[in-house]
Amino acid sequence: MNPRPLLLLSLLLSLPAGAQQAAACHYAAWKSGFQGNARTQATCLLRPVGRYARIGQASALPAFLDRHVGEKTTLSRSVVQAYLARQHIAESDLGGALEAPLSRAQGRLASPVARYFLIHDTSYPNFLADPIPAIIDSRDWDFNDFSIRNPARGGGPKGHVYVNRLGESVTVHGFEVANYASKLEKDKPSLTGLFLHVELVQPRSSDPAGGRGNDGVAPDPGFTPAQYERLALLYIAASVRKGHWLIPAFHAVLDTGYANGHDDPQNFSLSAWSESIAHLINIMEPPAGTVSHQ
């Protein structure tokens, strides 16, 4: 008897009610990715994430992503570098040098280059029964200071880049490093290197209806405009390094079907992020006949 169906059933039964209803995106191992073209994959991997990893229904991608995901990038490295110089943003804070290659999948004779841009939230700190403080979007909140709360410290898997609520980022592992930060990669180590991991700082508190010490409640809105802008810049930088627009994905959706799967990112506005990407590109390379003042 094949034990795999029983294993999958046990994994599904261990998830919170509601999360069990979500279907995992179909994986095609021979493609080193998921089934379908880039838009089909992104549509599945960007399904909204609710409390306790309840995955919502797929909907149409917002305009920029719908037009560009998986397509060749026409934005040059030099244009992006000129923008970074004007804004005094270091390439080292965006996952590494724009000239550097991206990571490759591990354990393969012809290892494919990274294809997915995985969006996480830190789900930390957890204020438990206390309300989330009103100062989380200000300089006064310690978790916005990477010199105090440096995510590189401590053990366990780490994302490649972290973005605080002020829109500042710090690189823990360059995008050229094959680094795992999902249950899928832990289960299938040969996939490590296909995913670039970005963690958005987001605190949590406990849901009174949940179990003791749970982190079910996220702020709403979940992220700041500055975070969306820096996440957009990271996506642009990584995609320019790839030469194609990467396939974005949410952590919780990627780990659908795994016991104790993650529930991030919570309260993420896909439309706000897509608009931030388009806005930044228009600033970097204005359409013909327009003038950028930034």
Side-chain angles (χ1 to χ4, degrees):
M1 179 179 178
N2 185 352
R4 185 169 177 79
L6 293 177
L7 173 62
L8 290 174
L9 178 61
S10 66
L11 289 174
L12 288 171
L13 290 176
S14 68
L15 292 172
Q20 298 173 23
Q21 300 172 7
C25 300
H26 296 295
Y27 184 75
W30 63 274
K31 287 185 177 179
S32 299
F34 295 88
Q35 291 180 3
N37 62 28
R39 290 178 180 83
T40 299
Q41 293 181 55
T43 299
C44 184
L45 291 166
L46 291 172
R47 286 174 291 167
V49 180
R51 191 175 296 184
Y52 300 128
R54 293 184 176 93
I55 308 301
Q57 295 297 313
S59 58
L61 295 175
F64 180 88
L65 293 174
D66 184 60
R67 289 196 305 269
H68 293 90
V69 67
E71 301 294 326
K72 287 185 177 180
T73 55
T74 58
L75 200 63
S76 70
R77 287 186 177 90
S78 60
V79 166
V80 179
Q81 288 168 328
Y83 170 80
L84 297 180
R86 294 195 301 272
Q87 299 298 319
H88 306 289
I89 299 171
E91 292 179 31
S92 58
D93 290 334
L94 300 177
L98 266 64
E99 301 293 338
L102 296 180
S103 60
R104 288 181 174 270
Q106 301 298 288
R108 297 175 184 273
L109 292 176
S111 298
V113 176
R115 295 175 175 171
Y116 300 94
F117 185 85
L118 201 64
I119 301 169
H120 305 246
D121 77 52
T122 60
S123 305
Y124 187 83
N126 185 357
F127 290 97
L128 301 174
D130 293 331
I132 295 173
I135 63 168
I136 62 170
D137 297 342
S138 75
R139 184 70 64 184
D140 294 331
W141 194 47
D142 282 353
F143 286 86
N144 284 326
D145 188 340
F146 286 135
S147 68
I148 297 174
R149 309 284 186 179
N150 191 321
R153 299 173 189 150
K158 302 289 184 185
H160 286 93
V161 180
Y162 285 69
V163 181
N164 68 19
R165 300 186 70 81
L166 305 176
E168 299 163 342
S169 56
V170 61
T171 299
V172 175
H173 301 289
F175 284 150
E176 68 277 6
V177 176
N179 173 63
Y180 89 90
S182 71
K183 289 183 180 292
L184 176 66
E185 294 162 290
K186 186 175 182 180
D187 182 46
K188 302 178 186 298
S190 64
L191 301 184
T192 300
L194 280 182
F195 301 88
L196 307 179
H197 299 277
V198 178
E199 293 269 3
L200 303 173
V201 172
Q202 183 191 73
R204 299 290 186 90
S205 62
S206 293
D207 178 1
R212 183 177 180 181
N214 76 82
D215 62 355
V217 179
D220 190 5
F223 305 97
T224 66
Q227 279 182 302
Y228 287 122
E229 182 171 313
R230 181 51 61 97
L231 186 67
L233 187 56
L234 284 160
Y235 180 68
I236 291 169
S239 295
V240 166
R241 286 171 66 171
K242 165 82 172 181
H244 287 77
W245 292 104
L246 294 164
I247 300 171
F250 290 149
H251 185 193
V253 181
L254 189 73
D255 281 350
T256 298
Y258 285 92
N260 301 313
H262 293 83
D263 67 347
D264 59 307
Q266 289 279 318
N267 299 330
F268 186 93
S269 173
L270 196 57
S271 61
W273 181 51
S274 182
E275 290 166 6
S276 291
I277 301 169
H279 176 68
L280 277 180
I281 291 173
N282 283 338
I283 291 173
M284 292 178 187
E285 197 171 54
T290 64
V291 177
S292 173
H293 299 288
Q294 297 195 34

